[in-house]
């Protein structure tokens, strides 16, 4: 069984993330979406809220692809999480060249810790390349329309966090 780990903070889940979820299903038999605790990023949504949002968003994808997908919180080294879930591949989404520079360094460090786990990069779909969770939160906070950036359920959750004045 090919197990893939797609890690991130997912604060919140965007259409870019869901695009990677869908395309990753073509590569693996089981997709674990690793939801990073990452308190340094001061997430808007709690860990349990982020896990629940992911689980809701992947329900249809599980039925559509037949791939087992689940969200799993993790705190600590990514490579340890990959080992814990039995992943043979780490899946990372890339939007821009600047993402690649950071990810390139991470791959080197992860391979030094465990060379048996590969990393695969999936380029964001052209429609999703500019979408960043940080920017989506800012647009929502300022009362802008985020419907082109996040699934409907996530839009509702963001609007609940940032009620319009």
């Amino acid at each position: 069984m090919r197990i893939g780990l797609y890690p991130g903070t997912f604060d919140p889940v965007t259409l870019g993330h869901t695009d990677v979820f869908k395309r990753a299903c073509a590569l693996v038999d089981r997709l674990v979406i690793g939801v990073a605790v990452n308190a340094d990023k001061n997430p808007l949504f709690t860990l349990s809220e982020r896990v629940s949002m992911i689980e809701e968003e992947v329900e249809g994808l599980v039925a559509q692809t037949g791939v087992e997908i689940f969200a799993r919180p993790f705190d600590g080294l990514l490579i340890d999480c990959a080992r814990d879930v039995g992943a043979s591949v780490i899946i990372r989404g890339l939007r821009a060249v600047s993402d690649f520079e950071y990810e390139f360094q991470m791959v080197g460090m992860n391979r030094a810790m465990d060379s048996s786990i590969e990393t695969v990069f999936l380029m964001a779909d052209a429609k999703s390349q500019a979408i960043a969770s940080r920017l989506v939160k800012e647009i929502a906070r300022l009362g802008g329309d985020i419907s082109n950036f996040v699934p409907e359920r996530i839009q509702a959750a963001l609007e609940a966090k940032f009620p319009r004045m």
Side-chain angles (χ1 to χ4, degrees):
M1 175 176 276
R2 293 169 301 166
I3 301 171
L5 171 64
Y6 177 27
T9 307
F10 305 105
D11 185 47
V13 173
T14 68
L15 293 176
H17 294 131
T18 59
D19 175 59
V20 173
F21 296 166
K22 186 182 303 181
R23 291 189 295 131
C25 286
L27 304 175
V28 297
D29 303 303
R30 177 184 296 153
L31 178 62
V32 179
I33 301 169
V35 185
V37 171
N38 206 344
D40 292 340
K41 286 190 173 183
N42 298 315
L44 175 64
F45 293 97
T46 66
L47 182 62
S48 62
E49 286 173 322
R50 290 181 280 142
V51 168
S52 292
M53 286 189 282
I54 290 168
E55 289 172 343
E56 289 174 2
E57 288 306 314
V58 300
E59 280 177 1
L61 191 55
V62 169
Q64 180 184 4
T65 64
V67 172
E68 180 183 348
I69 307 171
F70 64 94
R72 179 188 189 275
F74 78 98
D75 190 12
L77 292 174
L78 172 59
I79 203 73
D80 289 340
C81 179
R83 287 182 191 128
D84 289 347
V85 301
S88 59
V89 63
I90 295 169
I91 298 164
R92 300 295 291 160
L94 295 177
R95 293 176 306 216
V97 172
S98 58
D99 288 345
F100 180 76
E101 292 173 13
Y102 171 77
E103 295 294 343
F104 183 78
Q105 291 177 329
M106 290 298 295
V107 168
M109 296 302 287
N110 286 335
R111 288 199 50 81
M113 290 184 277
D114 191 331
S115 62
S116 70
I117 301 174
E118 292 293 338
T119 299
V120 173
F121 296 111
L122 295 177
M123 293 300 298
D125 180 84
K127 297 178 293 195
S128 305
Q129 284 181 349
I131 301 174
S133 293
R134 176 182 50 82
L135 297 175
V136 169
K137 288 185 288 193
E138 185 69 6
I139 294 167
R141 185 181 68 79
L142 296 171
D145 180 10
I146 56 171
S147 61
N148 290 325
F149 310 126
V150 295
E152 285 182 31
R153 285 183 270 220
I154 306 303
Q155 180 178 351
L158 279 163
E159 288 172 352
K161 293 279 186 181
F162 299 118
R164 295 193 180 200
M165 302 292 189

